[in-house]
Amino acid sequence: MENCLFCKIIAGEIPSTKVYEDEYVFAFRDINPQAPVHILVVPKVHLDSADQITEENAVHVAKCFEAIARIAKAEGLTNGYRVINNCGADGGQTVMHLHFHIIGGVKLSEKIV
Ligand code: 5GP
Ligand code: ZN
């Protein structure tokens, strides 16, 4: 999609630190990490947010989660990690291309959810 930051990153038009890519998924390090490991996992198809997930496109989400498990192992997150999706304005989403944050490498606060 035109003018979507993450579509441009997937296309290589904007540089990123890629950690994983397959037919369905692209993953790269967050530019403003909130923990020692902070990776963004995005479907290659453009969906604005989790609110657009349907039975027809859910395979793209499943592929993100397969990638998340694989990336977590590759990053050595053997003791756990958190997967976060911010959805929409009230959910704190700032980039309107569906993405999942992998946050880890440290013991996280138990106060959020
Ligand atoms: P959101 O707030 O939408 O859930 O998350 C967007 C994330 O994208 C933020 O954590 C932000 O740091 C990250 N981000 C924004 N612009 C860029 C960029 O140009 N490159 C990378 N690697 N991350 C970005
Ligand atoms: Zn996009």
Side-chain angles (χ1 to χ4, degrees):
M1 179 180 268
E2 251 176 79
N3 288 327
C4 169
L5 175 64
F6 288 175
C7 282
K8 287 181 180 167
I9 285 177
I10 292 163
E13 292 164 15
I14 291 175
S16 70
T17 308
K18 181 171 84 173
V19 296
Y20 177 81
E21 181 175 13
D22 65 28
E23 187 188 344
Y24 290 87
V25 178
F26 195 88
F28 53 100
R29 296 197 190 277
D30 197 291
I31 205 166
N32 183 24
Q34 303 299 307
V37 175
H38 187 170
I39 292 165
L40 300 173
V41 180
V42 310
K44 285 187 169 177
V45 295
H46 180 94
L47 299 171
D48 284 349
S49 75
D51 202 43
Q52 290 192 341
I53 297 168
T54 63
E55 193 174 355
E56 286 70 36
N57 64 31
V59 63
H60 299 279
V61 179
K63 291 291 180 184
C64 282
F65 276 82
E66 283 183 46
I68 286 167
R70 193 179 286 211
I71 293 163
K73 286 180 186 71
E75 294 287 321
L77 301 177
T78 52
N79 211 34
Y81 53 93
R82 187 167 291 159
V83 179
I84 296 174
N85 171 254
N86 296 324
C87 181
D90 281 3
Q93 185 176 0
T94 59
V95 178
M96 292 305 288
H97 179 128
L98 175 64
H99 56 279
F100 301 97
H101 299 252
I102 303 175
I103 308 273
V106 69
K107 174 83 175 92
L108 296 164
S109 158
E110 289 169 11
K111 291 199 175 124
I112 303 173
V113 298

